[in-house]
Amino acid sequence: MVNLKSWFLLAILYVFLCTASSATVELDAIESVLRRLHSKQAPPIVQESAAKGVLQRLLPAHLHSFEFKIVSKDLCGGRSCFRITNYKVSSRNSPEILIQGTTAVEITSGLHWYLKYRCGAHISWDKTGGVQLASVPKPGSLPLVEADGVTIQRPVPWNYYQNVVTSSYSFVWWDWQRWEKEIDWMALQGINLPLAFTGQEAIWQKVFLDYNITSQDLNDFFGGPAFLAWARMGNLHAWGGPLSQNWLNIQLALQKQILSRMQEVGMTPVLPSFSGNVPAALKKIFPSANITRLGDWNTVNGDPRWCCTFLLAPSDPLFIEIGEAFIRKQIEEYGDITNIYNCDTFNENTPPTDDPTYISSLGSAVYKAMSKADNNAVWLMQGWLFYSDSKYWKPPQMEALLHSVPRGKMIVLDLFADVKPIWKSSSQFYGTPYIWCMLHNFGGNIEMYGVLDAVASGPIDARTSENSTMVGVGMCMEGIEHNPVVYELMSEMAFRGDNFQLQGWLKSYSHRRYGKVNDQIEAAWDILYHTIYNCTDGIADHNTDYIVEFPDWDPSGKTGTDISGTDSSSQNRMQKLAGFQLNRRFLFFEKSSSLPKPHLWYSTEDVIKALKLFIDAGKELSGSLTYRYDLVDLSRQSLSKLANQVYLDAISAFRREDSKALSLHSQKFLQLIKDIDRLLAADDNFLLGTWLESAKNLAMNSDEKKQYEWNARTQVTMWFDNTKYNQSQLHDYANKFWSGLLEAYYLPRASMYFKLLSKSLEEKMDFKLEEWRKEWIAYSNKWQESTELYPVKAQGDALAISTALFEKYFS
């Protein structure tokens, strides 16, 4: 008879073997997916030409210095790889370097690797300083590689890119010229699995037209241009709209250009699919259909004009019919270019029941809608819901959703793995293949922040863990064009097979980014690595400086206003006082404090030392655009943290009823806003005018111009709806440190607040919170509707201004 201990050990062994077997089956299925996707790629000659196009746009003088060649995976041991060798033929006009790769993306990745590690070059977004190519030798003088060449394999097949909201926070106003640059950047970074969401409203229009849904009906369904992501997810409807036919047509044409280029360079685009989100009109046309209304998502008072969207139940036959029609319409428009489709069924919306059977039926229906149109379909899903609504998504619910589709037909994005990895606590997503992702940024905010150690080790730990089902790495930031060091490191993890020395990598990074070795910069980056880029406390609300996210509270202390990370009743009191209910976009709270304090995870004194080193290096590096961007950003970061303390000093003075000290500190806070605005104005990459003009440039008439500008202004300020006395629950969520926005928006708001504080002391009256809200909300509404122009070109000497402000505030 087997004793209890032996039975227990056998049970553990059985679970282990089942898990291991499941992981093996899933990964074998992924290999089949990869083979099918490979057959959809452009011919080698097209891909080689596309890689040459990237080179020509990056280094036109070196077009003939490189030879590119597509090779089979056999050269790379059955994996994707690139190989860099010296070109064998020696003649005056022959190429110098041969780069071979299994796709054009591998070739461009190899080009980037060569430029980085043989030529000391650096490539980042234009808005983070752009490229540093001055260190690349002239044609005919390129450095050779070792005799047997350099071969780099991908340890996992995919390098994923984008969040479903990046399309609104960052891409919304892009034209083809900007998209072409982005696809080049993606190719150089090795991204081979990008989300491709542009233009999907035009597809939905075509689909719903077949169901007798009119353009007028869709005006109440689609959001405005800057809010499309949340309308797509069923969080809201109509806000910022309607969409003009011009918009729909232009975006569809743009999507076709985007997809064509992605395919040419060997990428596999991820297209959208149907999650059940439908126009209200469908309920009238199909009265017997099982359509329910979802709950409120972040409106002030449940305003039905924007909230509570309609969900078609997966059990209804119409669900699969519409989902199939959408996929088929995409294939008709774009061709048979992918088998991977994104769908997020309950992104920040809780399902109506936690019954695993219901959840399984939902998942099955979502996949069936895809597979009826594409029998090789693979469902790619963001795993954010497993974290943001973890009270609901317990193991039975998670497993029910993840196992609702055939094996190998689902891939999960472990969206927040850089801070809160789900793979560790979910038995590797219960055997489902997943992609280790870095989320990093919320709302496209501008804040120097990072967890570099986690980025450098997390993907490797996940991939080498027992029974790993990891099949890729990814970047899932909400907004891009900031913190270039973080994104260069994360991109490189797609090619790092084992641990490497991060501090040595950072030293190399600083040399490449500015084009030369500088001891002061090296020392500064060592400090930044141990401070700003070493956030280890697991708190992610790092974009909450008082200037851009001004506290909405009565600072008298008489009302018990408090933020607490442990006492839920304190949280609720603070939320009610601030005029909004707790929602899933604000998940992170500081520890108990008498004042709401922004998240600070490092020594500001140390960072000020790094800033001084940066300024001192300016004598040698002032001509570098990458240096100027980093100098301005680091100066802004340091001054904004100082402003936080100045605000607290002002509140302290108010509580002591010290009107003189209150005036002193409040004036210093307002002056800091003005000074930071002047600093930001000295770099092209921190200008409000650029954002607004890019929105207006997409307009085809005056009405669109007015609407697009309102969308652009509203997203970065109030964001969502408000009432006379209650600001949007999402106000300042997409805050930006941009010149023009500080002077015209944040400064007047803070001025109104401090003016009322002083008035309260003078009149010995309680602070009138509602009076302040009424005043600044009215101002915000007016500013969103206004059309004044802001500069689109930098003004002033960034180094001189930064030096002067350092002397003024930190000496």
Side-chain angles (χ1 to χ4, degrees):
M1 185 174 182
V2 180
N3 62 35
L4 187 62
K5 183 177 180 182
S6 298
W7 179 90
F8 182 69
L9 290 172
L10 285 170
I12 291 175
L13 179 62
Y14 174 76
V15 171
F16 169 78
L17 290 173
C18 285
T19 304
S21 175
S22 173
T24 302
V25 170
E26 295 278 5
L27 294 178
D28 286 344
I30 291 297
E31 283 299 320
S32 297
V33 172
L34 289 168
R35 286 193 294 272
R36 283 195 302 272
L37 291 172
H38 180 73
S39 70
K40 296 178 185 293
Q41 290 176 346
I45 191 170
V46 174
Q47 292 194 55
E48 289 164 1
S49 177
K52 278 285 186 180
V54 175
L55 172 60
Q56 185 167 25
R57 289 183 290 276
L58 181 69
L59 280 168
H62 291 73
L63 183 60
H64 301 293
S65 299
F66 295 89
E67 180 72 13
F68 296 154
K69 185 70 176 174
I70 296 288
V71 294
S72 74
K73 287 186 178 180
D74 295 339
L75 185 71
C76 309
R79 292 185 179 182
S80 296
C81 79
F82 60 79
R83 178 170 170 76
I84 309 168
T85 56
N86 303 317
Y87 197 76
K88 302 299 183 184
V89 180
S90 56
S91 67
R92 178 180 294 182
N93 298 317
S94 68
E96 300 168 76
I97 299 295
L98 170 66
I99 303 180
Q100 298 167 298
T102 47
T103 66
V105 170
E106 314 308 322
I107 290 173
T108 51
S109 301
L111 173 65
H112 190 197
W113 195 277
Y114 174 82
L115 293 175
K116 283 199 292 187
Y117 294 115
R118 288 297 189 274
C119 303
H122 170 77
I123 298 165
S124 66
W125 290 298
D126 285 354
K127 284 186 71 67
T128 57
V131 299
Q132 185 289 111
L133 300 173
S135 60
V136 179
K138 293 179 180 180
S141 305
L142 291 180
L144 299 178
V145 297
E146 47 266 40
D148 55 352
V150 176
T151 301
I152 304 291
Q153 290 182 326
R154 287 187 189 267
V156 283
W158 283 309
N159 186 0
Y160 174 81
Y161 183 54
Q162 291 181 46
N163 187 300
V164 293
V165 302
T166 318
S167 57
S168 290
Y169 282 132
S170 294
F171 305 156
V172 54
W173 310 122
W174 286 6
D175 56 14
W176 169 244
Q177 184 180 24
R178 179 60 187 87
W179 263 111
E180 183 174 53
K181 282 190 174 184
E182 189 69 10
I183 297 171
D184 283 355
W185 178 88
M186 289 158 56
L188 291 161
Q189 304 298 332
I191 292 161
N192 59 6
L193 191 66
L195 207 59
F197 266 26
T198 302
Q200 64 177 279
E201 284 69 29
I203 302 291
W204 278 120
Q205 182 188 50
K206 294 172 185 289
V207 170
F208 284 131
L209 184 63
D210 292 338
Y211 290 87
N212 297 318
I213 291 176
T214 67
S215 295
Q216 189 63 37
D217 295 329
L218 292 176
N219 286 345
D220 186 54
F221 180 60
F222 297 142
F227 303 97
L228 287 177
W230 301 276
R232 292 165 179 169
M233 292 186 286
N235 301 135
L236 54 81
H237 64 99
W239 178 251
L243 294 180
S244 69
Q245 194 62 46
N246 286 334
W247 173 273
L248 296 171
N249 295 342
I250 290 169
Q251 292 296 299
L252 181 59
L254 180 60
Q255 171 75 332
K256 290 179 179 180
Q257 287 181 288
I258 292 167
L259 293 175
S260 176
R261 181 60 57 81
M262 286 179 173
Q263 189 180 30
E264 287 170 5
V265 295
M267 297 176 183
T268 297
V270 179
L271 293 176
S273 61
F274 181 53
S275 64
N277 180 33
V278 294
L282 195 73
K283 192 171 179 65
K284 296 177 182 177
I285 298 170
F286 296 91
S288 62
N290 186 359
I291 298 174
T292 56
R293 197 156 195 185
L294 294 175
D296 181 31
W297 183 86
N298 288 308
T299 60
V300 170
N301 55 7
D303 193 328
R305 292 178 299 167
W306 327 120
C307 88
C308 312
T309 55
F310 291 87
L311 183 74
L312 177 62
S315 57
D316 195 294
L318 196 58
F319 185 102
I320 294 172
E321 184 182 321
I322 292 175
E324 179 187 358
F326 180 71
I327 298 293
R328 288 194 184 281
K329 189 65 71 173
Q330 286 189 120
I331 295 172
E332 180 184 317
E333 291 284 340
Y334 308 141
D336 184 16
I337 60 172
T338 188
N339 296 130
I340 303 186
Y341 305 93
N342 169 262
C343 184
D344 297 305
T345 47
F346 284 102
N347 194 9
E348 300 183 7
N349 284 313
T350 303
T353 173
D354 63 359
D355 181 1
T357 302
Y358 168 82
I359 295 168
S360 182
S361 69
L362 169 68
S364 178
V366 169
Y367 180 72
K368 190 173 182 181
M370 295 178 192
S371 61
K372 282 197 74 175
D374 179 353
N375 59 8
N376 292 315
V378 176
W379 177 3
L380 182 101
M381 182 185 74
Q382 291 194 152
W384 174 251
L385 71 170
F386 299 138
Y387 171 70
S388 69
D389 203 3
S390 58
K391 287 184 179 179
Y392 175 90
W393 292 100
K394 299 298 184 184
Q397 288 75 29
M398 284 183 68
E399 196 164 2
L401 181 59
L402 295 171
H403 290 173
S404 64
V405 302
R407 292 194 179 279
K409 298 296 187 177
M410 176 181 277
I411 302 168
V412 182
L413 301 176
D414 197 355
L415 206 75
F416 204 15
D418 52 326
V419 177
K420 304 287 183 181
I422 301 296
W423 69 268
K424 290 184 177 181
S425 58
S426 64
S427 301
Q428 304 264 353
F429 290 97
Y430 303 101
T432 304
Y434 75 95
I435 294 175
W436 192 103
C437 296
M438 176 189 76
L439 179 50
H440 184 261
N441 170 269
F442 294 94
N445 309 126
I446 297 172
E447 171 86 352
M448 295 180 74
Y449 159 85
V451 285
L452 293 186
D453 283 335
V455 170
S457 62
I460 295 170
D461 293 343
R463 181 177 55 79
T464 57
S465 64
E466 195 169 32
N467 299 322
S468 176
T469 55
M470 176 180 159
V471 293
V473 298
M475 297 184 288
C476 295
M477 62 284 119
E478 290 196 347
I480 63 167
E481 299 179 316
H482 51 79
N483 290 287
V485 64
V486 176
Y487 293 92
E488 179 161 335
L489 177 62
M490 187 65 241
S491 297
E492 197 163 307
M493 295 312 297
F495 298 97
R496 289 289 181 180
D498 49 26
N499 283 302
F500 64 102
Q501 213 285 317
L502 180 56
Q503 283 184 277
W505 184 90
L506 277 170
K507 183 180 288 190
S508 167
Y509 172 85
S510 72
H511 300 168
R512 292 185 280 106
R513 181 148 170 85
Y514 313 115
K516 58 182 69 176
V517 175
N518 181 286
D519 293 341
Q520 293 154 320
I521 287 291
E522 270 190 27
W525 268 103
D526 187 61
I527 294 172
L528 295 180
Y529 163 58
H530 288 99
T531 53
I532 284 174
Y533 291 112
N534 189 37
C535 183
T536 58
D537 59 16
I539 299 173
D541 59 337
H542 51 268
N543 306 291
T544 53
D545 289 331
Y546 290 135
I547 288 176
V548 293
E549 193 165 317
F550 203 75
D552 177 55
W553 75 312
D554 179 350
S556 65
K558 297 175 184 177
T559 56
T561 57
D562 182 42
I563 287 184
S564 169
T566 54
D567 184 351
S568 60
S569 62
S570 296
Q571 284 188 17
N572 291 335
R573 284 198 303 272
M574 181 59 194
Q575 300 299 329
K576 288 176 181 177
L577 177 85
F580 55 82
Q581 297 302 310
L582 182 63
N583 61 76
R584 295 188 189 90
R585 299 222 65 73
F586 299 92
L587 303 171
F588 316 102
F589 288 86
E590 287 293 348
K591 293 182 180 178
S592 181
S593 168
S594 60
L595 291 171
K597 294 182 180 179
H599 177 210
L600 185 64
W601 63 96
Y602 61 85
S603 163
T604 55
E605 291 81 4
D606 287 345
V607 171
I608 289 167
K609 292 175 185 174
L611 175 57
K612 181 63 167 64
L613 289 166
F614 252 88
I615 290 171
D616 290 345
K619 296 171 185 176
E620 185 179 355
L621 300 177
S622 60
S624 163
L625 295 177
T626 47
Y627 166 79
R628 186 176 73 183
Y629 173 87
D630 289 346
L631 173 67
V632 170
D633 203 21
L634 184 56
S635 300
R636 173 211 55 75
Q637 180 100 351
S638 301
L639 291 167
S640 66
K641 301 308 175 193
L642 173 62
N644 291 341
Q645 185 56 52
V646 173
Y647 171 85
L648 296 176
D649 292 341
I651 298 305
S652 255
F654 174 78
R655 287 186 164 185
R656 297 194 312 269
E657 299 183 357
D658 186 341
S659 57
K660 185 176 180 181
L662 171 61
S663 176
L664 178 69
H665 295 308
S666 61
Q667 288 305 311
K668 184 175 182 181
F669 186 87
L670 299 176
Q671 187 59 49
L672 273 162
I673 297 178
K674 295 176 184 176
D675 285 340
I676 296 173
D677 190 279
R678 184 165 63 96
L679 169 72
L680 298 174
D683 190 282
D684 288 333
N685 305 304
F686 295 94
L687 304 178
L688 170 65
T690 306
W691 170 254
L692 298 183
E693 291 306 311
S694 64
K696 290 185 284 185
N697 286 341
L698 286 188
M700 300 295 288
N701 55 53
S702 59
D703 288 342
E704 289 178 357
K705 187 175 182 180
K706 183 177 180 181
Q707 180 196 14
Y708 297 176
E709 181 166 7
W710 183 90
N711 269 253
R713 286 170 175 259
T714 300
Q715 191 206 84
V716 298
T717 54
M718 194 60 79
W719 206 107
F720 208 6
D721 72 328
N722 58 266
T723 63
K724 190 174 182 179
Y725 293 102
N726 289 299
Q727 72 286 350
S728 162
Q729 294 187 33
L730 296 175
H731 75 88
D732 297 330
Y733 181 77
N735 66 70
K736 301 289 188 295
F737 271 99
W738 282 341
S739 177
L741 195 56
L742 270 74
E743 186 90 33
Y745 189 81
Y746 299 133
L747 179 63
R749 177 172 62 179
S751 183
M752 294 170 199
Y753 188 82
F754 287 128
K755 185 178 179 181
L756 280 177
L757 284 184
S758 296
K759 185 179 178 182
S760 297
L761 291 187
E762 289 169 12
E763 298 178 355
K764 301 188 183 303
M765 299 279 288
D766 289 341
F767 177 71
K768 294 182 172 59
L769 180 62
E770 284 202 346
E771 183 179 328
W772 173 68
R773 284 184 184 155
K774 178 183 176 183
E775 188 176 357
W776 92 259
I777 291 171
Y779 179 85
S780 180
N781 291 340
K782 182 180 178 182
W783 187 86
Q784 287 161 220
E785 294 172 356
S786 59
T787 58
E788 68 271 24
L789 299 176
Y790 293 91
V792 294
K793 292 294 181 184
Q795 301 170 357
D797 183 327
L799 178 57
I801 294 170
S802 183
T803 303
L805 292 180
F806 187 94
E807 292 297 321
K808 180 177 181 178
Y809 290 108
F810 299 125
S811 288

